[in-house]
Amino acid sequence: MAQQRPCVVLIFGGQSTEHQVSCLTAAGVAKAIDTERFEVHGVGISPSGTWHRIDLPAIAELRTEGRRLPELDDTLPRATLVRNPEGVLLVTRDGDRLLDPVRVDVAFVLLHGAYGEDGTIQGHLEMLGLPYVGSGVMASAIGMDKHFMKVVLEAAGLPVGPYEVVLPSEWQWGREQICDRISGKLDYPLFVKPARGGSSVGITRVTDPNKLAEAIDEAREVDPKVVVEQGFVGAREVECAVLGPIGSDTDEHAAVRTSRPGEIVVHTESAFYDFDAKYLPGEGQVELRIPADLDAETEQAVRTMACACFAALGCEGLARVDYFLTAQGRIVVNEVNTMPGFTELSMFPSLWQVSGLDYQGLIADLIEQAMRRPNTVVR
Ligand SMILES: Nc1ncnc2c1ncn2[C@@H]1O[C@H](COP(=O)(O)OP(=O)(O)O)[C@@H](O)[C@H]1O
Ligand SMILES: [Mg+2]
């Protein structure tokens, strides 16, 4: 009986600025996953990029101590995934020796940001032939890049806010001209963002044109490509969770599913959902309203648009679509997250909770979706 449980490998940690957040996510999943239904193993990627074998109880232990978020170090045994004719093996590497092999059926990638949510690990898993939860290479890469994401959404006729892009090659030759160009096209306040970042790292809200260059420099420390957006003043932030279909093409579950929307209310002075507000709350700065208090028509529009965004980017498995509801009543897409925050208290699982799917059920749903889907690069 026990041998028949599908074997899941949780892959978490990683080299991005969101390493610690990923560890919290993995701990949440480790505690909630139904071990009667799934056999579970772990690969923790350290900030330096080394893969480590870590078992379920150790993952569940990762937690925030005071204001210190969890982090993996390089003392754990090394791990690797190996493609064999009979399937993919998770093994511990001790020098040249490969120990404790376990055959794995599916990967649950719980990485955020670079090398996790951006198509790179997805490409690695495609090469191994191991099915995985979530979007494939292309949708992950587009969802990660705030510039290309807007290009794709705009091409699909979906509403995005006014923005300018600062390309890596142009900044060093014309800082002043670029700042003038941006200030001429967009109204302040501006939001300056690394194109491929996450968790608000490297993002600055700029109210003074003299501070724009500094903010671009700061964003460039995360990504040499920078997106500058016109800030929405007095807008509400609303998010909608999306799940891929669970049934075959012909039955009633063939459709993409959306949750009830939620709202983030930020009470900080700059009204900006920054890193501390996301992960070190406690001063009553941020409130998640789940579900959001929206009229039926707006709720429906947000849900319908979430499906359209999911389709436009070619997402699979899951996504969270974030919007601004502007003071003028427009719905504008802020971003599509292909690996949204996934601790039990994060927006994505909470939205499914109020929409009738609990955390444990959600985890199983995603794994089932992944196991039914062929790998996505070559069909
Ligand atoms: N154009 C904008 N207008 C107003 N607020 C914004 C804008 N862009 C970002 N913000 C604020 O900054 C936060 C983080 O920006 P976001 O683009 O979602 O980055 P991340 O990918 O790091 O979550 C948002 O949740 C919102 O509070
Ligand atoms: Mg965001």
Side-chain angles (χ1 to χ4, degrees), residues 334-364:
N334 174 30
E335 60 170 344
V336 179
N337 291 282
T338 54
M339 185 54 220
F342 202 81
T343 67
E344 188 165 9
L345 298 177
S346 301
M347 184 62 104
F348 187 92
S350 303
L351 290 176
W352 283 109
Q353 182 77 45
V354 297
S355 307
L357 183 59
D358 70 14
Y359 194 43
Q360 189 174 69
L362 175 62
I363 292 165

PDB file of all heavy atoms in Angstrom, residues 334-364:
ATOM      1  N   ASN A 334      -1.731  44.527 -12.273  1.00  0.00           N
ATOM      2  CA  ASN A 334      -0.387  44.877 -11.798  1.00  0.00           C
ATOM      3  C   ASN A 334       0.587  43.782 -12.202  1.00  0.00           C
ATOM      4  O   ASN A 334       1.580  44.041 -12.848  1.00  0.00           O
ATOM      5  CB  ASN A 334      -0.381  45.080 -10.281  1.00  0.00           C
ATOM      6  CG  ASN A 334       1.032  45.306  -9.730  1.00  0.00           C
ATOM      7  OD1 ASN A 334       1.893  45.837 -10.415  1.00  0.00           O
ATOM      8  ND2 ASN A 334       1.273  44.857  -8.512  1.00  0.00           N
ATOM      9  N   GLU A 335       0.284  42.545 -11.808  1.00  0.00           N
ATOM     10  CA  GLU A 335       1.205  41.470 -12.189  1.00  0.00           C
ATOM     11  C   GLU A 335       0.548  40.107 -12.064  1.00  0.00           C
ATOM     12  O   GLU A 335      -0.479  39.944 -11.410  1.00  0.00           O
ATOM     13  CB  GLU A 335       2.482  41.515 -11.344  1.00  0.00           C
ATOM     14  CG  GLU A 335       2.235  41.372  -9.855  1.00  0.00           C
ATOM     15  CD  GLU A 335       3.525  41.175  -9.069  1.00  0.00           C
ATOM     16  OE1 GLU A 335       4.562  40.859  -9.687  1.00  0.00           O
ATOM     17  OE2 GLU A 335       3.476  41.294  -7.840  1.00  0.00           O
ATOM     18  N   VAL A 336       1.185  39.139 -12.724  1.00  0.00           N
ATOM     19  CA  VAL A 336       0.760  37.747 -12.632  1.00  0.00           C
ATOM     20  C   VAL A 336       1.911  36.997 -11.967  1.00  0.00           C
ATOM     21  O   VAL A 336       3.041  37.018 -12.462  1.00  0.00           O
ATOM     22  CB  VAL A 336       0.490  37.151 -14.038  1.00  0.00           C
ATOM     23  CG1 VAL A 336       0.060  35.690 -13.930  1.00  0.00           C
ATOM     24  CG2 VAL A 336      -0.567  37.968 -14.778  1.00  0.00           C
ATOM     25  N   ASN A 337       1.642  36.390 -10.831  1.00  0.00           N
ATOM     26  CA  ASN A 337       2.674  35.631 -10.119  1.00  0.00           C
ATOM     27  C   ASN A 337       2.467  34.148 -10.399  1.00  0.00           C
ATOM     28  O   ASN A 337       1.419  33.593 -10.067  1.00  0.00           O
ATOM     29  CB  ASN A 337       2.536  35.848  -8.610  1.00  0.00           C
ATOM     30  CG  ASN A 337       2.912  37.259  -8.215  1.00  0.00           C
ATOM     31  OD1 ASN A 337       4.085  37.584  -8.132  1.00  0.00           O
ATOM     32  ND2 ASN A 337       1.911  38.096  -7.996  1.00  0.00           N
ATOM     33  N   THR A 338       3.486  33.508 -10.985  1.00  0.00           N
ATOM     34  CA  THR A 338       3.320  32.088 -11.307  1.00  0.00           C
ATOM     35  C   THR A 338       3.650  31.194 -10.110  1.00  0.00           C
ATOM     36  O   THR A 338       3.269  30.036 -10.088  1.00  0.00           O
ATOM     37  CB  THR A 338       4.178  31.678 -12.521  1.00  0.00           C
ATOM     38  OG1 THR A 338       5.529  32.058 -12.265  1.00  0.00           O
ATOM     39  CG2 THR A 338       3.685  32.348 -13.791  1.00  0.00           C
ATOM     40  N   MET A 339       4.361  31.737  -9.124  1.00  0.00           N
ATOM     41  CA  MET A 339       4.522  30.999  -7.861  1.00  0.00           C
ATOM     42  C   MET A 339       4.242  31.970  -6.717  1.00  0.00           C
ATOM     43  O   MET A 339       5.137  32.527  -6.108  1.00  0.00           O
ATOM     44  CB  MET A 339       5.927  30.383  -7.759  1.00  0.00           C
ATOM     45  CG  MET A 339       6.089  29.496  -6.519  1.00  0.00           C
ATOM     46  SD  MET A 339       4.821  28.200  -6.415  1.00  0.00           S
ATOM     47  CE  MET A 339       4.437  28.195  -4.679  1.00  0.00           C
ATOM     48  N   PRO A 340       2.957  32.183  -6.448  1.00  0.00           N
ATOM     49  CA  PRO A 340       2.587  33.153  -5.415  1.00  0.00           C
ATOM     50  C   PRO A 340       2.972  32.669  -4.024  1.00  0.00           C
ATOM     51  O   PRO A 340       3.197  31.475  -3.827  1.00  0.00           O
ATOM     52  CB  PRO A 340       1.064  33.222  -5.550  1.00  0.00           C
ATOM     53  CG  PRO A 340       0.654  31.943  -6.181  1.00  0.00           C
ATOM     54  CD  PRO A 340       1.800  31.533  -7.063  1.00  0.00           C
ATOM     55  N   GLY A 341       3.043  33.605  -3.083  1.00  0.00           N
ATOM     56  CA  GLY A 341       3.287  33.264  -1.678  1.00  0.00           C
ATOM     57  C   GLY A 341       2.383  32.102  -1.295  1.00  0.00           C
ATOM     58  O   GLY A 341       1.202  32.100  -1.619  1.00  0.00           O
ATOM     59  N   PHE A 342       2.952  31.121  -0.617  1.00  0.00           N
ATOM     60  CA  PHE A 342       2.207  29.866  -0.462  1.00  0.00           C
ATOM     61  C   PHE A 342       2.269  29.322   0.968  1.00  0.00           C
ATOM     62  O   PHE A 342       2.116  28.144   1.194  1.00  0.00           O
ATOM     63  CB  PHE A 342       2.744  28.850  -1.487  1.00  0.00           C
ATOM     64  CG  PHE A 342       1.778  27.747  -1.805  1.00  0.00           C
ATOM     65  CD1 PHE A 342       0.742  27.944  -2.706  1.00  0.00           C
ATOM     66  CD2 PHE A 342       1.892  26.509  -1.189  1.00  0.00           C
ATOM     67  CE1 PHE A 342      -0.158  26.916  -2.989  1.00  0.00           C
ATOM     68  CE2 PHE A 342       0.990  25.473  -1.462  1.00  0.00           C
ATOM     69  CZ  PHE A 342      -0.035  25.679  -2.368  1.00  0.00           C
ATOM     70  N   THR A 343       2.550  30.183   1.945  1.00  0.00           N
ATOM     71  CA  THR A 343       2.399  29.693   3.325  1.00  0.00           C
ATOM     72  C   THR A 343       0.895  29.603   3.584  1.00  0.00           C
ATOM     73  O   THR A 343       0.094  30.181   2.845  1.00  0.00           O
ATOM     74  CB  THR A 343       3.036  30.640   4.359  1.00  0.00           C
ATOM     75  OG1 THR A 343       2.294  31.859   4.375  1.00  0.00           O
ATOM     76  CG2 THR A 343       4.495  30.939   4.031  1.00  0.00           C
ATOM     77  N   GLU A 344       0.533  28.906   4.655  1.00  0.00           N
ATOM     78  CA  GLU A 344      -0.896  28.703   4.901  1.00  0.00           C
ATOM     79  C   GLU A 344      -1.646  30.028   5.038  1.00  0.00           C
ATOM     80  O   GLU A 344      -2.822  30.131   4.685  1.00  0.00           O
ATOM     81  CB  GLU A 344      -1.110  27.837   6.149  1.00  0.00           C
ATOM     82  CG  GLU A 344      -2.567  27.443   6.302  1.00  0.00           C
ATOM     83  CD  GLU A 344      -2.795  26.316   7.285  1.00  0.00           C
ATOM     84  OE1 GLU A 344      -1.836  25.931   7.983  1.00  0.00           O
ATOM     85  OE2 GLU A 344      -3.939  25.831   7.347  1.00  0.00           O
ATOM     86  N   LEU A 345      -0.943  31.049   5.565  1.00  0.00           N
ATOM     87  CA  LEU A 345      -1.603  32.333   5.798  1.00  0.00           C
ATOM     88  C   LEU A 345      -1.449  33.295   4.627  1.00  0.00           C
ATOM     89  O   LEU A 345      -1.968  34.403   4.650  1.00  0.00           O
ATOM     90  CB  LEU A 345      -1.060  32.985   7.077  1.00  0.00           C
ATOM     91  CG  LEU A 345      -1.300  32.177   8.353  1.00  0.00           C
ATOM     92  CD1 LEU A 345      -0.672  32.874   9.550  1.00  0.00           C
ATOM     93  CD2 LEU A 345      -2.794  31.936   8.579  1.00  0.00           C
ATOM     94  N   SER A 346      -0.719  32.885   3.595  1.00  0.00           N
ATOM     95  CA  SER A 346      -0.550  33.755   2.426  1.00  0.00           C
ATOM     96  C   SER A 346      -1.880  33.936   1.711  1.00  0.00           C
ATOM     97  O   SER A 346      -2.814  33.157   1.888  1.00  0.00           O
ATOM     98  CB  SER A 346       0.438  33.144   1.422  1.00  0.00           C
ATOM     99  OG  SER A 346       1.691  32.928   1.999  1.00  0.00           O
ATOM    100  N   MET A 347      -1.892  34.953   0.878  1.00  0.00           N
ATOM    101  CA  MET A 347      -3.120  35.283   0.155  1.00  0.00           C
ATOM    102  C   MET A 347      -3.646  34.097  -0.663  1.00  0.00           C
ATOM    103  O   MET A 347      -4.831  33.777  -0.589  1.00  0.00           O
ATOM    104  CB  MET A 347      -2.828  36.479  -0.764  1.00  0.00           C
ATOM    105  CG  MET A 347      -3.991  37.003  -1.515  1.00  0.00           C
ATOM    106  SD  MET A 347      -5.322  37.629  -0.457  1.00  0.00           S
ATOM    107  CE  MET A 347      -5.117  39.393  -0.592  1.00  0.00           C
ATOM    108  N   PHE A 348      -2.774  33.450  -1.429  1.00  0.00           N
ATOM    109  CA  PHE A 348      -3.255  32.420  -2.367  1.00  0.00           C
ATOM    110  C   PHE A 348      -4.014  31.291  -1.653  1.00  0.00           C
ATOM    111  O   PHE A 348      -5.178  31.023  -1.980  1.00  0.00           O
ATOM    112  CB  PHE A 348      -2.083  31.889  -3.217  1.00  0.00           C
ATOM    113  CG  PHE A 348      -2.495  30.953  -4.311  1.00  0.00           C
ATOM    114  CD1 PHE A 348      -2.782  31.421  -5.588  1.00  0.00           C
ATOM    115  CD2 PHE A 348      -2.617  29.587  -4.064  1.00  0.00           C
ATOM    116  CE1 PHE A 348      -3.182  30.547  -6.604  1.00  0.00           C
ATOM    117  CE2 PHE A 348      -3.020  28.718  -5.069  1.00  0.00           C
ATOM    118  CZ  PHE A 348      -3.301  29.198  -6.340  1.00  0.00           C
ATOM    119  N   PRO A 349      -3.392  30.621  -0.661  1.00  0.00           N
ATOM    120  CA  PRO A 349      -4.147  29.564   0.031  1.00  0.00           C
ATOM    121  C   PRO A 349      -5.368  30.102   0.780  1.00  0.00           C
ATOM    122  O   PRO A 349      -6.402  29.439   0.827  1.00  0.00           O
ATOM    123  CB  PRO A 349      -3.123  28.980   1.015  1.00  0.00           C
ATOM    124  CG  PRO A 349      -1.800  29.307   0.421  1.00  0.00           C
ATOM    125  CD  PRO A 349      -1.985  30.645  -0.221  1.00  0.00           C
ATOM    126  N   SER A 350      -5.254  31.317   1.334  1.00  0.00           N
ATOM    127  CA  SER A 350      -6.399  31.882   2.066  1.00  0.00           C
ATOM    128  C   SER A 350      -7.580  32.116   1.134  1.00  0.00           C
ATOM    129  O   SER A 350      -8.740  31.926   1.520  1.00  0.00           O
ATOM    130  CB  SER A 350      -6.023  33.202   2.731  1.00  0.00           C
ATOM    131  OG  SER A 350      -4.924  33.011   3.589  1.00  0.00           O
ATOM    132  N   LEU A 351      -7.292  32.537  -0.087  1.00  0.00           N
ATOM    133  CA  LEU A 351      -8.382  32.762  -1.045  1.00  0.00           C
ATOM    134  C   LEU A 351      -9.067  31.447  -1.398  1.00  0.00           C
ATOM    135  O   LEU A 351     -10.285  31.391  -1.545  1.00  0.00           O
ATOM    136  CB  LEU A 351      -7.847  33.443  -2.312  1.00  0.00           C
ATOM    137  CG  LEU A 351      -7.402  34.892  -2.150  1.00  0.00           C
ATOM    138  CD1 LEU A 351      -6.809  35.424  -3.448  1.00  0.00           C
ATOM    139  CD2 LEU A 351      -8.569  35.764  -1.705  1.00  0.00           C
ATOM    140  N   TRP A 352      -8.282  30.380  -1.521  1.00  0.00           N
ATOM    141  CA  TRP A 352      -8.906  29.086  -1.813  1.00  0.00           C
ATOM    142  C   TRP A 352      -9.672  28.572  -0.611  1.00  0.00           C
ATOM    143  O   TRP A 352     -10.723  27.923  -0.753  1.00  0.00           O
ATOM    144  CB  TRP A 352      -7.884  28.064  -2.328  1.00  0.00           C
ATOM    145  CG  TRP A 352      -7.575  28.384  -3.753  1.00  0.00           C
ATOM    146  CD1 TRP A 352      -6.422  28.900  -4.261  1.00  0.00           C
ATOM    147  CD2 TRP A 352      -8.500  28.311  -4.854  1.00  0.00           C
ATOM    148  NE1 TRP A 352      -6.561  29.148  -5.606  1.00  0.00           N
ATOM    149  CE2 TRP A 352      -7.820  28.797  -5.997  1.00  0.00           C
ATOM    150  CE3 TRP A 352      -9.827  27.890  -4.983  1.00  0.00           C
ATOM    151  CZ2 TRP A 352      -8.430  28.863  -7.250  1.00  0.00           C
ATOM    152  CZ3 TRP A 352     -10.431  27.958  -6.242  1.00  0.00           C
ATOM    153  CH2 TRP A 352      -9.738  28.438  -7.352  1.00  0.00           C
ATOM    154  N   GLN A 353      -9.161  28.857   0.586  1.00  0.00           N
ATOM    155  CA  GLN A 353      -9.865  28.455   1.806  1.00  0.00           C
ATOM    156  C   GLN A 353     -11.293  29.028   1.810  1.00  0.00           C
ATOM    157  O   GLN A 353     -12.246  28.300   2.048  1.00  0.00           O
ATOM    158  CB  GLN A 353      -9.065  28.969   3.021  1.00  0.00           C
ATOM    159  CG  GLN A 353      -9.642  28.597   4.379  1.00  0.00           C
ATOM    160  CD  GLN A 353      -9.351  27.143   4.756  1.00  0.00           C
ATOM    161  OE1 GLN A 353      -8.233  26.666   4.589  1.00  0.00           O
ATOM    162  NE2 GLN A 353     -10.363  26.445   5.243  1.00  0.00           N
ATOM    163  N   VAL A 354     -11.431  30.323   1.503  1.00  0.00           N
ATOM    164  CA  VAL A 354     -12.786  30.913   1.514  1.00  0.00           C
ATOM    165  C   VAL A 354     -13.571  30.545   0.258  1.00  0.00           C
ATOM    166  O   VAL A 354     -14.758  30.842   0.168  1.00  0.00           O
ATOM    167  CB  VAL A 354     -12.799  32.460   1.680  1.00  0.00           C
ATOM    168  CG1 VAL A 354     -12.210  32.865   3.013  1.00  0.00           C
ATOM    169  CG2 VAL A 354     -12.123  33.171   0.520  1.00  0.00           C
ATOM    170  N   SER A 355     -12.896  29.907  -0.689  1.00  0.00           N
ATOM    171  CA  SER A 355     -13.601  29.487  -1.902  1.00  0.00           C
ATOM    172  C   SER A 355     -13.877  27.987  -1.874  1.00  0.00           C
ATOM    173  O   SER A 355     -14.255  27.399  -2.887  1.00  0.00           O
ATOM    174  CB  SER A 355     -12.774  29.858  -3.145  1.00  0.00           C
ATOM    175  OG  SER A 355     -12.424  31.230  -3.110  1.00  0.00           O
ATOM    176  N   GLY A 356     -13.636  27.342  -0.714  1.00  0.00           N
ATOM    177  CA  GLY A 356     -14.044  25.952  -0.536  1.00  0.00           C
ATOM    178  C   GLY A 356     -12.958  24.906  -0.707  1.00  0.00           C
ATOM    179  O   GLY A 356     -13.269  23.714  -0.806  1.00  0.00           O
ATOM    180  N   LEU A 357     -11.680  25.310  -0.745  1.00  0.00           N
ATOM    181  CA  LEU A 357     -10.601  24.333  -0.893  1.00  0.00           C
ATOM    182  C   LEU A 357      -9.548  24.622   0.180  1.00  0.00           C
ATOM    183  O   LEU A 357      -8.921  25.683   0.163  1.00  0.00           O
ATOM    184  CB  LEU A 357      -9.992  24.458  -2.309  1.00  0.00           C
ATOM    185  CG  LEU A 357      -8.886  23.485  -2.719  1.00  0.00           C
ATOM    186  CD1 LEU A 357      -9.353  22.029  -2.655  1.00  0.00           C
ATOM    187  CD2 LEU A 357      -8.393  23.815  -4.140  1.00  0.00           C
ATOM    188  N   ASP A 358      -9.360  23.689   1.127  1.00  0.00           N
ATOM    189  CA  ASP A 358      -8.412  23.985   2.217  1.00  0.00           C
ATOM    190  C   ASP A 358      -6.966  23.745   1.773  1.00  0.00           C
ATOM    191  O   ASP A 358      -6.712  23.247   0.676  1.00  0.00           O
ATOM    192  CB  ASP A 358      -8.778  23.225   3.503  1.00  0.00           C
ATOM    193  CG  ASP A 358      -8.547  21.718   3.381  1.00  0.00           C
ATOM    194  OD1 ASP A 358      -7.867  21.274   2.437  1.00  0.00           O
ATOM    195  OD2 ASP A 358      -9.055  20.981   4.253  1.00  0.00           O
ATOM    196  N   TYR A 359      -6.025  24.109   2.652  1.00  0.00           N
ATOM    197  CA  TYR A 359      -4.593  24.103   2.300  1.00  0.00           C
ATOM    198  C   TYR A 359      -4.141  22.710   1.876  1.00  0.00           C
ATOM    199  O   TYR A 359      -3.474  22.548   0.853  1.00  0.00           O
ATOM    200  CB  TYR A 359      -3.807  24.597   3.532  1.00  0.00           C
ATOM    201  CG  TYR A 359      -2.365  24.979   3.299  1.00  0.00           C
ATOM    202  CD1 TYR A 359      -1.963  25.712   2.191  1.00  0.00           C
ATOM    203  CD2 TYR A 359      -1.391  24.639   4.244  1.00  0.00           C
ATOM    204  CE1 TYR A 359      -0.634  26.087   2.016  1.00  0.00           C
ATOM    205  CE2 TYR A 359      -0.056  25.012   4.085  1.00  0.00           C
ATOM    206  CZ  TYR A 359       0.313  25.732   2.964  1.00  0.00           C
ATOM    207  OH  TYR A 359       1.627  26.112   2.807  1.00  0.00           O
ATOM    208  N   GLN A 360      -4.527  21.704   2.666  1.00  0.00           N
ATOM    209  CA  GLN A 360      -4.117  20.341   2.327  1.00  0.00           C
ATOM    210  C   GLN A 360      -4.718  19.899   0.984  1.00  0.00           C
ATOM    211  O   GLN A 360      -4.039  19.283   0.161  1.00  0.00           O
ATOM    212  CB  GLN A 360      -4.559  19.385   3.443  1.00  0.00           C
ATOM    213  CG  GLN A 360      -3.981  18.014   3.268  1.00  0.00           C
ATOM    214  CD  GLN A 360      -4.303  17.102   4.446  1.00  0.00           C
ATOM    215  OE1 GLN A 360      -5.460  16.725   4.639  1.00  0.00           O
ATOM    216  NE2 GLN A 360      -3.296  16.765   5.218  1.00  0.00           N
ATOM    217  N   GLY A 361      -5.973  20.262   0.776  1.00  0.00           N
ATOM    218  CA  GLY A 361      -6.648  19.920  -0.480  1.00  0.00           C
ATOM    219  C   GLY A 361      -6.021  20.646  -1.660  1.00  0.00           C
ATOM    220  O   GLY A 361      -5.890  20.092  -2.756  1.00  0.00           O
ATOM    221  N   LEU A 362      -5.620  21.876  -1.424  1.00  0.00           N
ATOM    222  CA  LEU A 362      -4.988  22.686  -2.466  1.00  0.00           C
ATOM    223  C   LEU A 362      -3.649  22.067  -2.905  1.00  0.00           C
ATOM    224  O   LEU A 362      -3.357  21.956  -4.102  1.00  0.00           O
ATOM    225  CB  LEU A 362      -4.769  24.102  -1.922  1.00  0.00           C
ATOM    226  CG  LEU A 362      -4.011  25.090  -2.789  1.00  0.00           C
ATOM    227  CD1 LEU A 362      -4.755  25.352  -4.094  1.00  0.00           C
ATOM    228  CD2 LEU A 362      -3.811  26.415  -2.032  1.00  0.00           C
ATOM    229  N   ILE A 363      -2.860  21.646  -1.912  1.00  0.00           N
ATOM    230  CA  ILE A 363      -1.561  21.030  -2.213  1.00  0.00           C
ATOM    231  C   ILE A 363      -1.777  19.763  -3.055  1.00  0.00           C
ATOM    232  O   ILE A 363      -1.106  19.558  -4.073  1.00  0.00           O
ATOM    233  CB  ILE A 363      -0.812  20.712  -0.885  1.00  0.00           C
ATOM    234  CG1 ILE A 363      -0.400  22.017  -0.193  1.00  0.00           C
ATOM    235  CG2 ILE A 363       0.390  19.803  -1.131  1.00  0.00           C
ATOM    236  CD1 ILE A 363       0.006  21.852   1.268  1.00  0.00           C
ATOM    237  N   ALA A 364      -2.747  18.950  -2.645  1.00  0.00           N
ATOM    238  CA  ALA A 364      -3.032  17.711  -3.382  1.00  0.00           C
ATOM    239  C   ALA A 364      -3.528  18.021  -4.795  1.00  0.00           C
ATOM    240  O   ALA A 364      -3.144  17.357  -5.767  1.00  0.00           O
ATOM    241  CB  ALA A 364      -4.060  16.886  -2.616  1.00  0.00           C
TER     242      ALA A 364
END
